[in-house]
Amino acid sequence: MTRLGYKGVKMGIVNNAERDERGGNLVRRIVLLFSVFLAISSFFPTAYAQHHSRPQSVTVISIPGLSFAHLEHADLIPHFKRLVDEGSIGAMNLRTAGSDTLANSYATLAAGRRVTVPQPEPFYQLNETFQGRPVSAWISERIGITPRSGTVFPNLVPFAEKNQVGAMHVQQIVLGEVLRQAGLGTAVWGNADWGEEQVRFAPFLSMNRDGHTVEAAVDDRVLVTAKGFPFGVKTNYAYVLDEVRHSAAELRVVELGDLYRLQREAAKMTEQRAKAVEQEILHEVDRFLQQFLATLSPGDVVWIISPYTQQSHPKYKSQLAPAICYREGQDGGILYSPTTRRVGIIANIDFAPTVLETFQIPKPAWMDGRPITVTDGEEKDAFWETLEQVETVFHLRPYVIYAYALYQVVAFIIALGLLLGKKTRGTGLVQIALLASIVTPFLFLVLAAVSPFSYRLFLVLWVFTALLMALSLKRLPTVPLFFMLGLVGFAPVIVDGLLGGHLIRQSFLGYDPIIGARYYGIGNEYMGVVIGAVLLMVAAWLEWKRPTGRWVKIGTAFLFVFLVLYFAAPFWGTNAGGALAASAGFGVAYARFFHSRMDWRFWLAFAALGVAGVSLLFIMNVVLDVSAPSHIGQAFGHLLKGDIAQIVDIASRKLATNVRLIKGSLWGRVFFVSLLAMAVLIIQPLRGIRWLKTRYPYMFHGFTAILVSALSALVFNDSGIVSAATAIAYVVIPLLLIVCREWMPPYERS
């Protein structure tokens, strides 16, 4: 590669006017083309059913292992179908604070917040033995109580200490304890024992703060010998039904563990035999439901939940399980939760607050979940379509994201290799590859309107459209090109968000309700894209047009403040880390764009946007969002109440998530390769930052601001490495393009 000479620079400057005119015409044509994509959007309904009167009882029928696939057996489960058709259905996320175990799932359902059970020892009947001694003796020694009947949890203390936040003990807020304090009774029957393994965790839903449920049966009484069934036993449906029928408890929990037992043994059975047993189990569960529904009084509430579904899908881990709510004498619909803000998708932490609201009991402040409601006038077909789309994206996401991240890393390495090796041939192809990479977030957004059923087909569609766009954009001069890349990167995301964010929910760079880390807002991937893209666009505009006047400053400030507002608003971006990272990056950009010296005006401009970001975050999530606060609003609420322990708990969980992603995520590799590429570019080809600052002063300031935003996102976000990786691409790729274009004489480029 030849060194840059004055002749090369002069040729570039002479042709600037001609290129700008040609670039401006092409920019207008491309803007018209991109605007077509922005029309793809629709709105979800926002009207929800009114609250009902207090019921006589709420019955929770838990069927571990029940999946949506089981609900397709219409001939075997007609009464299940009745519950689905006449009741309300949703997909419940089962994420907990630990691994996907039945113990963690029940404990999270009961606590209304994600918890974990460190020692998954089961509940015991008081007349049983634990480690060779009577259970009552263990309970008396460990907890200091002497109950006479029911079930107890010998390992309550380790469970409480593991999930303690400040002075709050988790057993103080579990569903059964809150109901007990309100004067309501609880009861539980059933188990999921298999072989000699005792699996009894349903009492988490009914226990009080001492781990005790008075009215309970989880021992051998709830099982009967059954030849041909897994482990030779099945649920004693007649006994359980009789107990439920005669119970006066307001909350009644029934665990039907036959599907769970089948899944434990299915790997050792022939496929035909496992299928036959499954059908028989479904038939018996349905018959139990028929007899149980006949005992209900008007207004009684029934919940059908599945706290464990992993083994029903051996090829992948799914954390969405069926949840059906049926109220005798009332119409149903589709379940909705303010936690997810998605029709048909609810969270397990919402279950306890919902039961409490059903009994008109306020939920404890330590519960993170929100009460579930029912949509008005929704067709059930819409739910099944949503579920299919969510599961399809979930299954294809790892392949697509891995391919994109790997492509980005390989493209950076090859580009650096060619440039550092002074290989002039092939730089045209390098530019196309880099442009295809930087337009990918836009394509992942607009292609979300297409429901892919094969990752290979989607990859072909992605590569084809990316290359087509890259070939069109490559014709632009350098600075107009950067302007278009920035505009394409941020504008469609913001427009989609303002229209409801329906495309981002289906995008491979969006959030995943099955993983359950985020359910709404802009997400961390697109947050980094928007910040990097808008800073690139503004810098390129100032570099291109060199506008002057106070309206340029006002317009830039308005754009930056609006985007901080967008990130902070609970009904738009809902990304606290994004608001803070944007405030830092935009503050640096505005100060450097319009104040050449670092005097008091520089620092005032920088500080103003920072204060604006924090203020908007507080106002939008606390002052204006009081009815159904977002997770950010809840965090501010804890802070205002002085719950420092809760804030520390949130911060520690976010830090742990970030550390885990940095260590094991592909985005971590992309980020560090990008940093390496940027360092090499500045040190080797550009021979320091002085040339870049002289040749492209506004671009230089924009790159600095993007880097500040990326590092801020790394600090402020729980998945900050993701935001940092997507943002820093808007520095590395433009730098590589500058090197390709500025350091290669036109006649040597291929």
Side-chain angles (χ1 to χ4, degrees), residues 538 542 550-565 586-587 589-591 593-595 605 608-609 612 616:
V538 173
L542 295 174
R550 64 176 183 175
W551 289 110
V552 177
K553 297 181 180 180
I554 294 174
T556 303
F558 176 82
L559 175 62
F560 286 167
V561 171
F562 168 75
L563 289 176
V564 172
L565 172 65
F586 295 164
Y590 190 86
F593 287 157
F594 303 113
H595 301 285
L609 272 172
L616 286 174

Side-chain angles (χ1 to χ4, degrees), residues 64-198:
L66 181 70
S67 69
F68 287 104
H70 292 130
L71 300 183
E72 298 174 357
H73 296 277
D75 54 331
L76 298 174
I77 52 172
H79 298 92
F80 253 126
K81 288 296 183 182
R82 173 191 165 188
L83 291 174
V84 173
D85 294 339
E86 299 181 11
S88 304
I89 189 169
M92 178 182 287
N93 181 277
L94 299 181
R95 188 181 183 193
T96 71
S99 57
D100 304 324
T101 65
L102 197 55
N104 288 341
S105 185
Y106 273 121
T108 297
L109 284 164
R113 59 183 289 131
R114 289 170 179 162
V115 297
T116 182
V117 183
Q119 299 178 12
E121 294 292 338
F123 285 75
Y124 289 90
Q125 208 74 26
L126 274 169
N127 58 1
E128 294 181 307
T129 60
F130 172 60
Q131 297 181 0
R133 298 178 60 202
V135 171
S136 57
W138 286 105
I139 296 301
S140 178
E141 293 173 6
R142 293 183 175 182
I143 305 176
I145 63 173
T146 55
R148 297 182 179 181
S149 62
T151 64
V152 289
F153 187 41
N155 283 300
L156 180 67
V157 174
F159 169 66
E161 291 180 348
K162 179 66 176 179
N163 299 286
Q164 183 173 342
V165 180
M168 192 280 296
H169 295 271
V170 68
Q171 76 272 19
Q172 294 174 303
I173 64 164
V174 290
L175 179 59
E177 171 63 17
V178 180
L179 291 174
R180 183 192 68 81
Q181 293 178 3
L184 303 181
T186 64
V188 60
W189 305 272
N191 66 45
D193 292 357
W194 55 283
E196 297 181 358
E197 185 78 17
Q198 294 176 317

Side-chain angles (χ1 to χ4, degrees), residues 211-260:
H212 178 220
T213 304
V214 176
E215 186 179 356
V218 298
D219 54 1
D220 292 341
R221 289 175 293 173
V222 299
L223 300 176
V224 294
T225 303
K227 184 178 179 181
F229 275 67
F231 308 103
V233 296
K234 68 177 182 179
T235 300
N236 189 342
Y237 293 99
Y239 171 81
V240 172
L241 180 64
D242 187 63
E243 290 292 309
V244 174
R245 181 179 295 158
H246 292 93
S247 174
E250 283 78 9
L251 175 66
R252 306 178 296 184
V253 180
V254 176
E255 182 176 49
L256 307 179
D258 290 339
L259 277 178
Y260 184 85

Side-chain angles (χ1 to χ4, degrees), residues 95 653-665 721:
R95 188 181 183 193
R653 284 190 279 118
K654 290 180 177 294
L655 178 62
T657 301
N658 220 358
V659 171
R660 185 176 68 252
L661 288 174
I662 290 174
K663 289 181 178 179
S665 170
I721 190 65

